[in-house]
């Protein structure tokens, strides 16, 4: 069965600092990987996704993520965090043509200090 | 509409009551998903529709949970004889295509509290 681990429950960074949120997955074949952001009272919004090809994917709001098969990781990065990035971030893995049935991690809450 | 909408946004039910949660997907979207998100956890898959066909209901936690999408657009998630463990946010998502590889657009969720 597929699974996702987000080791960091809560991360605090200063505005303007760089950010990396960790995601490790378990899946037997090539995974379909996603990062979502959830702000209070808002629905989940897709930041970026990886299906195949270039292992470094660019997303919205200046985020990027790198797929590393050898480490079973798909970490999310941003070079300079803005106060508006404070939110909860979820990594998810989907399986093949049924990728809609995604398995989510438990999320990482990001706090941004002024 | 501009996005996925869900109603009600908040629902308080007494244990044993039946509830119905509504999802209006983006017009023309083929696929519709329901997820359950408990406090402090990520969303967990409940069920998936392609048009009016329920293709996967493996995530429904018990036979008290029932979902339908009779005309391939609006969907309703019904929970019968609610229990305290049903308290969660119920998320609906829709996507344009039918393969699941398309981006899912999520609604704001319905927060269900069972007393």
């Amino acid at each position: 069965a597929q699974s996702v681990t987000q080791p960091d429950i809560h991360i605090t960074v200063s505005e303007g600092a760089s950010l990396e949120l960790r995601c490790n997955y378990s899946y037997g074949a090539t995974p379909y990987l996603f990062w979502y952001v959830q702000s209070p009272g808002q629905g989940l919004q897709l930041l970026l996704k990886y299906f195949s090809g270039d292992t470094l994917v660019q997303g919205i709001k200046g985020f990027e993520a790198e797929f590393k098969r050898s480490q079973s990781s798909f970490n999310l990065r941003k070079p300079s965090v803005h106060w508006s990035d404070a939110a909860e971030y979820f990594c998810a893995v989907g399986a093949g043509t049924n990728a809609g049935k995604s398995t989510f991690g438990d999320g990482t809450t990001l706090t941004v200090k002024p | 509409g501009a996005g996925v909408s869900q109603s009600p946004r908040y629902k308080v039910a007494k244990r044993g009551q039946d509830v119905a949660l509504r999802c209006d997907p983006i017009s023309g979207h083929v696929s519709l998903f329901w997820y359950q998100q408990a406090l402090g956890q990520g969303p967990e898959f409940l069920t998936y529709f392609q048009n009016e066909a329920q293709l996967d209901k493996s995530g429904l936690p018990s036979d008290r949970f029932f979902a339908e999408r009779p005309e391939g657009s609006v969907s309703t998630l019904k929970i019968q004889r609610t229990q305290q463990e049903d308290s969660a946010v119920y998320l609906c998502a829709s996507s344009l295509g039918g393969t699941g590889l398309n981006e899912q657009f999520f609604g704001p969720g319905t927060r269900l509290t069972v007393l």
Side-chain angles (χ1 to χ4, degrees):
Chain A
Q2 60 205 49
S3 66
V4 176
T5 301
Q6 294 181 245
D8 305 304
I9 296 173
H10 195 175
I11 282 185
T12 299
V13 300
S14 297
E15 190 168 15
S18 63
L19 171 69
E20 182 169 33
L21 302 182
R22 296 183 291 165
C23 172
N24 293 98
Y25 68 90
S26 174
Y27 183 62
T30 300
Y32 298 91
L33 296 161
F34 310 83
W35 273 101
Y36 291 87
V37 61
Q38 187 177 37
S39 299
Q42 305 287 322
L44 288 156
Q45 182 183 22
L46 181 69
L47 286 175
L48 47 78
K49 61 188 178 186
Y50 171 79
F51 290 162
S52 64
D54 193 346
T55 56
L56 183 64
V57 293
Q58 303 296 321
I60 62 171
K61 304 184 180 187
F63 286 92
E64 67 177 25
E66 186 171 14
F67 170 58
K68 293 186 177 180
R69 184 187 299 276
S70 62
Q71 298 177 21
S72 297
S73 69
F74 188 57
N75 294 348
L76 182 72
R77 301 193 294 248
K78 186 170 185 178
S80 178
V81 168
H82 188 262
W83 65 266
S84 60
D85 293 325
E88 188 152 24
Y89 291 80
F90 292 93
C91 180
V93 60
T97 56
N98 198 17
K101 183 181 175 180
S102 297
T103 298
F104 285 78
D106 285 338
T108 297
T109 300
L110 173 65
T111 297
V112 180
K113 293 191 302 184
Chain B
V4 178
S5 60
Q6 294 185 245
S7 60
R9 290 293 309 278
Y10 302 91
K11 177 69 179 176
V12 178
K14 293 182 179 178
R15 191 172 57 180
Q17 279 185 329
D18 297 348
V19 298
L21 313 180
R22 177 187 169 105
C23 172
D24 284 82
I26 295 173
S27 178
H29 277 197
V30 169
S31 298
L32 186 144
F33 308 85
W34 283 99
Y35 293 87
Q36 180 190 59
Q37 185 175 19
L39 189 64
Q41 296 183 15
E44 290 196 5
F45 171 83
L46 293 177
T47 187
Y48 160 55
F49 290 86
Q50 189 173 120
N51 297 308
E52 68 278 5
Q54 188 174 21
L55 298 188
D56 188 339
K57 55 182 180 180
S58 62
L60 296 177
S62 78
D63 59 7
R64 296 186 295 105
F65 287 70
F66 172 76
E68 61 183 4
R69 194 186 184 197
E71 298 179 359
S73 55
V74 171
S75 177
T76 303
L77 176 67
K78 297 180 179 177
I79 309 173
Q80 297 177 323
R81 304 181 303 283
T82 53
Q83 304 295 313
Q84 285 189 322
E85 61 262 30
D86 300 334
S87 295
V89 176
Y90 291 86
L91 298 171
C92 175
S94 69
S95 68
L96 182 61
T99 66
L101 298 180
N102 302 91
E103 177 180 351
Q104 293 183 44
F105 294 84
F106 282 81
T110 294
R111 181 178 297 277
L112 173 64
T113 302
V114 181
L115 303 176

